[in-house]
Amino acid sequence: SSVCNMIFYDQNKDVWQLYEQEGKVVVLDFSTVWCGPCQNAGHFIQPIQDDYPGNLEFVTVLVDGAYGDPPTEAEINEWVSSHNITTAPVLYADRSVMDPTGATGYLVGGFPTYVFLDKELKIHMGAVGFNEQYVRSIIDGLL
């Protein structure tokens, strides 16, 4: 799909590409700055990432800033610092990565939406809303 080939930039302004993550389980977290549940879930991302060193890429795809526009550098930096993120990528994105038909982007039904990819980067499943035990159980099943 086209999303597989899209180039993103993370919080360090480094290039991040999905296809480079092959061999790891990838969790794509589609979140927005204005979403309370997204903010709450953000605190769990780095601890989960830390529990699977080298085997997991837990990626926050920030599609909106505080006012529905694409996130600014200040908003990305605030997300990283307020959630104590050190190694989990936080990507500059916008709503073009979402597609209600699923044809050119990911089907995002609400925020946060998690898309779980297996080690071959095939979509295993998606889930709307965050539950730590559930997220960890899906990751464990894919490893």
Side-chain angles (χ1 to χ4, degrees):
S1 76
S2 60
V3 175
C4 207
N5 300 320
M6 289 176 80
I7 294 175
F8 294 96
Y9 292 90
D10 69 13
Q11 67 267 37
N12 303 313
K13 301 230 174 62
D14 292 327
V15 171
W16 189 92
Q17 290 183 280
L18 182 59
Y19 75 85
E20 293 178 348
Q21 312 310 317
E22 195 164 359
K24 297 180 191 172
V25 170
V26 178
V27 180
L28 299 174
D29 160 18
F30 292 90
S31 281
T32 69
V33 171
W34 52 260
C35 157
C38 301
Q39 290 281 359
N40 293 338
H43 294 294
F44 293 91
I45 290 173
Q46 189 63 51
I48 293 172
Q49 172 85 34
D50 291 344
D51 285 346
Y52 301 92
N55 296 311
L56 173 70
E57 190 84 343
F58 203 131
V59 187
T60 303
V61 184
L62 273 184
V63 298
D64 275 356
Y67 304 103
D69 297 318
T72 63
E73 183 174 359
E75 286 172 325
I76 295 274
N77 292 339
E78 170 63 23
W79 186 277
V80 168
S81 63
S82 68
H83 298 98
N84 298 311
I85 290 175
T86 54
T87 61
V90 178
L91 305 184
Y92 288 83
D94 58 45
R95 291 198 172 221
S96 70
V97 300
M98 307 181 322
D99 174 13
T101 68
T104 59
Y106 290 95
L107 190 58
V108 177
F111 298 109
T113 288
Y114 297 88
V115 177
F116 298 87
L117 307 178
D118 68 18
K119 292 180 182 181
E120 295 169 353
L121 304 180
K122 292 187 172 67
I123 295 177
H124 172 70
M125 64 173 296
V128 179
F130 179 80
N131 175 295
E132 185 186 9
Q133 280 180 302
Y134 180 72
V135 166
R136 286 177 178 273
S137 72
I138 301 298
I139 293 167
D140 289 338
L142 289 171
L143 290 169

